[in-house]
Amino acid sequence: MKQITSQSREHLEEAVAKFLSARHCVALTGAGISVESGIDDFRSPGGLWSKFPPDEYGTISVFHTHPEKSWKLFRALGRGLVGKKPIQAHQILAQLEEMKKLNGIVTQNIDNLHQDAGSSVVLEIHGNHHYLQCLGCGDVCKPPVDVLEEEKLPLCSHCDRVLKPNVVLFGENVRQLDEIHNLLHRCDLLMVIGTSAQVYPAAALPEQVKYSGGLIYEFNIEETVLTHGERSGGVGSDYFFHGSAAAMLELFLDGMTRKD
Ligand code: APR
């Protein structure tokens, strides 16, 4: 693993050169890319799971047995998303897509900020919090305007069942796996940005790319289980951009424009 920071740029030129010669780059993003948009991540100190333990609030079985409890988490999540905008980290990924240097994004985030930044190939493995879904009749709809204020639980207009946000709870199947595997099977360089790489199946994607001979570029404020390959016998990130997603992606893009 070669580390790059704002202060030590020794490996930046080499990383940029390999990125420019890669044939099929994809980004895997997590909550860390949206922290600088003002959205708390899950596992950093003070993150959402410290306030709403996931096994107590975030599972599909709690939604079935105590939907009012799940809706405490959903409302906190929803309030955290109100008025949030993409920052340059999201915008740089949209720019790389426009430059035809990024083929798509697999995001674990539910905040829609990649789409808001202009990215067009965004696969949302954990769904999207801007819509509600009915597990009874499958309807997906926009939430009522007062959904974050009201105590009452939103009900499906077709079958009267309690609605949930169109996101994947623990114990539910993740989304778009076929499209994700299609996007990744030709991937020879994966940018892994702002994720603790702890939740499967998303956490298995970097190793999948690595084992098929691809490169891993990790962007994070701290080392993760992926950085040194703790789970895969030391097969970890090839380059570790150690810093905030915004600053490190800006440094990377700057290195690219210098190279051109
Ligand atoms: N820039 C880059 N990385 C950051 C920043 C930042 N400004 N701030 C935090 N991070 C990093 C943290 O160091 C951590 O590694 O982002 C990561 C966030 O990790 P998590 O909170 O675990 O979020 P994520 O990896 O997206 O979680 C995956 O778990 O609970 C589920 O469904 C939830 O989609 C989520 C999934």
Side-chain angles (χ1 to χ4, degrees):
M1 178 277 282
K2 294 175 179 173
Q3 179 165 276
I4 294 163
T5 67
S6 309
Q7 290 70 40
S8 68
R9 306 181 182 196
E10 183 198 346
H11 304 298
L12 178 61
E13 204 174 315
E14 176 189 292
V16 165
K18 287 181 182 172
F19 179 81
L20 291 173
S21 55
R23 292 182 318 283
H24 191 88
C25 304
V26 175
L28 168 66
T29 63
I33 199 170
S34 297
V35 164
E36 289 156 289
S37 291
I39 301 172
D40 286 343
D41 67 10
F42 293 91
R43 294 174 180 80
S44 292
L48 197 75
W49 290 151
S50 63
K51 300 168 191 133
F52 295 92
D55 49 354
E56 204 185 323
Y57 289 89
T59 67
I60 188 63
S61 55
V62 171
F63 176 72
H64 285 315
T65 53
H66 299 288
E68 72 291 343
K69 195 158 187 176
S70 307
W71 267 97
K72 284 193 171 56
L73 165 65
F74 299 154
R75 287 196 168 97
L77 252 173
R79 286 189 195 110
L81 299 182
V82 172
K84 299 300 189 301
K85 299 263 180 288
I87 46 141
Q88 74 263 58
H90 303 97
Q91 286 150 3
I92 289 173
L93 291 188
Q95 206 176 332
L96 291 178
E97 179 185 341
E98 218 172 291
M99 292 160 69
K100 304 229 177 306
K101 275 311 297 168
L102 190 71
N103 290 64
I105 299 171
V106 177
T107 188
Q108 301 170 89
N109 300 340
I110 55 176
D111 56 30
N112 212 69
L113 291 186
H114 286 304
Q115 296 91 322
D116 294 346
S119 290
S120 57
V121 181
V122 181
L123 301 177
E124 295 175 305
I125 192 168
H126 294 157
N128 186 306
H129 204 272
H130 289 278
Y131 293 87
L132 298 181
Q133 74 170 136
C134 176
L135 295 177
C137 65
D139 188 41
V140 172
C141 58
K142 287 295 275 176
V145 282
D146 61 357
V147 73
L148 297 182
E149 286 74 46
E150 277 297 308
E151 278 315 302
K152 69 178 188 319
L153 302 179
L155 303 178
C156 176
S157 57
H158 303 292
C159 70
D160 230 18
R161 281 184 60 152
V162 177
L163 296 169
K164 66 180 273 285
N166 192 20
V167 298
V168 175
L169 301 179
F170 288 103
E172 279 193 291
N173 291 329
V174 295
R175 313 279 176 86
Q176 301 191 279
L177 269 185
D178 290 345
E179 297 92 325
I180 289 169
H181 286 306
N182 279 341
L183 185 65
L184 286 182
H185 90 272
R186 297 186 308 279
C187 174
D188 59 352
L189 193 153
L190 185 69
M191 303 170 87
V192 182
I193 307 167
T195 181
S196 60
Q198 291 183 37
V199 175
Y200 287 82
L205 299 177
E207 278 121 22
Q208 177 190 321
V209 170
K210 194 82 195 174
Y211 288 142
S212 50
L215 292 171
I216 303 296
Y217 287 30
E218 186 178 11
F219 295 72
N220 205 306
I221 52 170
E222 61 187 12
E223 293 188 353
T224 67
V225 287
L226 173 63
T227 314
H228 298 286
E230 276 170 48
R231 286 181 311 230
S232 50
V235 179
S237 302
D238 296 279
Y239 294 94
F240 180 55
F241 291 79
H242 194 171
S244 79
M248 290 295 102
L249 281 166
E250 212 164 347
L251 182 78
F252 186 67
L253 185 68
D254 185 48
M256 278 179 66
T257 37
R258 288 239 185 99
K259 191 93 184 137
D260 282 351

